[in-house]
Amino acid sequence: MTKQLRKFSILGAAAALSVVLAVPFAVSTTAAEAPVTEVRNQGVADAPDVDRGLEFLVSDYETRVPTKYTADSWAPFAKALTTASDVADDTSATTSEVADAKTALMTTAADLEAADEGTFQTITNNTFWNDTSGNPIYSQGGGVFKFGDTYYWYGVHYTGAESYRANPTQKYDNQVSFVSIPVYSSKDLVNWKFENRVATRSTGVGDGANLGGAGWVGRLGVSYNENTGKYVLAVQMWHTSRGGHGVLLLQGDSPTDTFDYGYFQTQITNSPTTGTGDQTVFTDDDGKDYLIFSNREGRSRGFVAKFRESDSLRIEPGVEIRRGDGREGNAMFKLDGKYYHAASDLHGWNTSVNYVNESTSSNVQGSYSSEYVLAGTEMDYSHVTQTGFFVTVNGTKQSTVIYAGDRWADFAWNGIGYNQWVPITKSGARPQFHSVSQWQFNVTTGEWRVGPANNYILNPDIQADRIIVSSVRGWRNLGGSVTNVNGGVNGSRFALQISNSGGVEQRRESVPAGTYALGLHARGSAGRVVITGANGSQRTLSIPSSSGWAKRELTGIELPSGAVTVTVRASGSGGVVVDQLSLVKTSDDDPPLPGQRYEAETAPAVCDGTIDSNHSGYSGSGFCNGDNAVGSVVQFTVTPEAAGTATLGVRFANGATSARSANVVVNGTTVGTVSFEPTGAWSTWSTKSLNVPLNAGSNTIRLDPTTTAGLANIDYLDVGPGA
Ligand code: GCU
Ligand code: CA
């Protein structure tokens, strides 16, 4: 209860702070600068001002090689490319002919199907990212948009980003001077090539004003307009000589063009005030684009607004889809046919859980559920980020949404790296956020897996809470005194201090079997870290007292798959201070994979019914008593290391007099049926075994009853090694 109250007061303080922060944006140093005379379309040194219209797109698409794609998908693309090339050469072609040629080219390119299975590329968080030329990626508060077969990433480059990267051991409050809006391109969403600066400080914003004179530039996205053939960039802007707060619309002839002024719209109909709170652009499956935003003052309402059909140069009236507590970082994703509006607390670029409202109709502007916290964002406040934007990849094997989190210098000082991207998959009824520090993604199949250098400890740098607290995110207090203190190792902001013989623990539900190394930096009095595996095995790392920071490490920790608990304790009344904890797999060869048990009562398992414990003999803390109805499923999410046929063991009890049968659905496909015969009593348990094909990495296994009797009671699922 004390913890609850404290939490509320923190949120209250932060929300109040955010209102104050909204003003500093407006009085940042840029606003004070003398207006610069507008220079239209000024080229930048490293990007020649070439014609980036249809000809440019044609020359880009002419580099595609037919053997890399299926013949069926190549044929329409080749046809569209020939037409586009003819239109590009035809000096008398009309605007609409050019637009049609572009649309056909991009549509057929988007439908190109790779002839192979693609490859896994590694995404490493908690680092500063570089582009393919080795230069820093400075891209904040933007979005990734797929035009044709290429992903384009737009965002804002601020001066504070450079300061933080050069010296990430302090805050750089209010260093939000606008530098430019760079655009990067990628085919795999991992390797990003710098293309151009679509807007710079000299970009005109109407009435002779330019972006350099704006008090704030941020939160943007791009819409392709089929009628004009233009790419329209919607940017949140505050500019005193342009009437205050609003949405700036710039447009270009290709995704990487140098964009020009289109319109500045201060008021969106139905929003109580001018401008937007935060905004992103969401592109639906049908290519229609929407501005997702909250209102600027208070941010208590969420809106979805269309871009004007004819040219995308106006934002149509907003449709309110949520109202309640103030939210920002508003962004939308779509997964398995449902729309999810996600947003953060009002922490001004600081860390937050993600709050989701999900659509209850098939209309993006229709009704939405009340808000809930996106599972997986609570332990470390969304991998120590604020909501940035989402990228949905519908691969040949699965759909994965990339959560692109924003961890930035200004107001934050929350660790290394600005862009923290993690996968979101559907696990049962709701989406699940996977807080991984390293992962691998295959853009062709949509599959992902945890990376070899992943740190299994959440909030390892003790930065998630943003402020001094006595109960740190992700770590449960075990008594004594616990607090985060200023002055972490290597100039980081916080460390964790435990004194008065106290301790904290963190439990992770599923780590893969293997050999692990535990590491941390410590100073102060003596303490210890105990790591406990799913089989009860324990290893202890002693921490001797030390006046300065010292690195401590314990290697060769054998862990079976399943839950792991890491406990940090102070040996006596003195305080032990720890920071940068890590639990990383060093080898997965030994011990041999023992198979893994997934309890029905443990997330990410889903039980359409209740978790009961009234019939003895179950393992863990209970079993799933599914509702007696068709559609009341039990679903497990399993993560085998290798693809292949796996032997499953389903432990069940059926105290009824007739058998209950279910379809076995793996990754959405029914692969067989299973019959759960009567076991004589609800407390008599039996195991059914079946063989199913599994991918490496995340898989869903669902038992879907075939009759209204529903399922038997389900205790757990064992996944054996590949056969
Ligand atoms: C009983 C039993 C439940 C079981 C249910 C059923 O209510 O206590 O555990 O799930 O029957 O028939 O499904
Ligand atoms: Ca039941």
Side-chain angles (χ1 to χ4, degrees), residues 123-154:
I123 296 181
T124 303
N125 291 319
N126 309 298
T127 56
F128 290 111
W129 292 1
N130 287 340
D131 65 20
T132 50
S133 303
N135 295 316
I137 289 179
Y138 292 124
S139 185
Q140 175 174 18
V144 167
F145 299 88
K146 192 177 185 194
F147 297 123
D149 64 349
T150 309
Y151 292 96
Y152 294 92
W153 181 9
Y154 305 82

Side-chain angles (χ1 to χ4, degrees), residues 103-179:
T103 305
L105 190 53
M106 286 196 299
T107 310
T108 54
D111 290 343
L112 281 173
E113 278 171 31
D116 59 24
E117 293 269 271
T119 55
F120 281 87
Q121 300 284 320
T122 303
I123 296 181
T124 303
N125 291 319
N126 309 298
T127 56
F128 290 111
W129 292 1
N130 287 340
D131 65 20
T132 50
S133 303
N135 295 316
I137 289 179
Y138 292 124
S139 185
Q140 175 174 18
V144 167
F145 299 88
K146 192 177 185 194
F147 297 123
D149 64 349
T150 309
Y151 292 96
Y152 294 92
W153 181 9
Y154 305 82
V156 182
H157 175 181
Y158 298 106
T159 52
E162 296 174 31
S163 311
Y164 192 71
R165 184 161 176 152
N167 182 15
T169 59
Q170 63 168 89
K171 298 215 289 173
Y172 295 92
D173 283 355
N174 297 327
Q175 277 203 17
V176 289
S177 274
F178 170 75
V179 179

Side-chain angles (χ1 to χ4, degrees), residues 348-359:
W349 259 323
N350 231 317
T351 73
S352 167
V353 298
N354 266 264
Y355 299 96
V356 168
N357 299 81
E358 64 177 61
S359 63

